[in-house]
Amino acid sequence: AQTVTQSQPEMSVQEAETVTLSCTYDTSESDYYLFWYKQPPSRQMILVIRQEAYKQQNATENRFSVNFQKAAKSFSLKISDSQLGDAAMYFCAYIIQGAQKLVFGQGTRLTINP
Amino acid sequence: GAVVSQHPSWVICKSGTSVKIECRSLDFQATTMFWYRQFPKQSLMLMATSNEGSKATYEQGVEKDKFLINHASLTLSTLTVTSAHPEDSSFYICSARRGYPEAFFGQGTRLTVV
C-alpha cells in the first residue's frame, strides 16, 4: 500500500528559529514527485515545495528547503527563520509518475511562538 | 496564475435537501479535478476523481448516488450532496490539475446540515 507517515502530530518553534518536519513514505516505484503543502487557519491548501524523485539536488524555495533521502524514503521540510505566518498544518504528499492521485500524510500542526 | 475558486465558502442546509458546490479553474483548463473531504484535525480524504466529459471515479466507500459529481467543462466541476444528513457535515475541498503533476486547491466549502 502507498502510505505517507508524518510522525510528528504537532511541532512548535520560536519565531526566527529553524524547524524540521519529518515525512517518510512507502512506494516500490522509482519515479514519483513529492510535495509539502501548507494549510493555514483559512484552510486554503498552498503548495510550499516540490521535489522530483529523479533529482538528487534538494529543492529550495526561499526559507523552505527539503532533505530528500530516496533510499531511506524520507522527505523532511526545513523552515528557516520561522515567521508567525508559517503557523499552519503541513501535509507531506507524493504522486507516482503517471498516477492520478496524491497520497497525503496525516499532517503536522506547526505553532510559531513569538 | 493557477487559481481555483470554490463556491460557496460555507453553506447551511436542512436535512433531506440537496446542496451543490462548484469548483472552477479561473485561469487554466483542467481536464482532471479532484474532490476531497476533510474532517476536523485530519488529513484530506479523496472522494472522487473527475475527468472532463466522463463519469467520475469514486474512491471505495464513497456513495456515488449521494455525492454526485459533474465535470461538464474544462473549467468547472460540481459536487452535489443529495438528501444531505447531519453526518454529511464536513469541509469539502476541490483541486484542479494544470499540467502534471501540479494540482491547485480551492479554498474549500464548509457544509453544515441541520
Side-chain angles (χ1 to χ4, degrees), chain A residues 33 35 37 39 42-47 50 89 91 95-102 104-107 109, chain B residues 4 32 34 36 38-44 46 49 51 59 91 93 97 100-103 105-107 110:
Chain A
Y33 301 84
F35 305 90
Y37 282 93
Q39 188 180 40
S42 68
R43 303 192 76 172
Q44 169 79 59
M45 293 285 285
I46 301 165
L47 178 63
R50 151 189 164 168
M89 281 288 288
F91 293 99
I95 187 169
I96 295 170
Q97 173 66 43
Q100 290 275 41
K101 301 185 289 189
L102 273 169
F104 282 95
Q106 310 93 309
R109 179 171 301 279
Chain B
V4 177
T32 306
F34 304 87
Y36 296 87
Q38 187 178 32
F39 292 102
K41 298 185 179 181
Q42 292 189 24
S43 188
L44 281 68
L46 180 65
T49 300
N51 290 295
E59 294 299 300
F91 191 71
I93 306 174
R97 176 156 290 146
Y100 190 89
E102 310 290 357
F105 289 82
Q107 70 270 40
R110 181 180 302 281

Side-chain angles (χ1 to χ4, degrees), chain A residues 14-57:
Chain A
Q14 289 295 127
E15 191 177 4
E17 294 189 348
T18 296
V19 64
T20 298
L21 308 184
S22 301
C23 172
T24 58
Y25 57 94
D26 187 16
T27 179
S28 57
E29 301 291 331
S30 60
D31 197 5
Y32 49 88
Y33 301 84
L34 294 154
F35 305 90
W36 278 97
Y37 282 93
K38 167 185 177 181
Q39 188 180 40
S42 68
R43 303 192 76 172
Q44 169 79 59
M45 293 285 285
I46 301 165
L47 178 63
V48 174
I49 200 164
R50 151 189 164 168
Q51 173 83 43
E52 291 85 348
Y54 65 84
K55 289 188 177 178
Q56 293 186 339
Q57 186 172 9

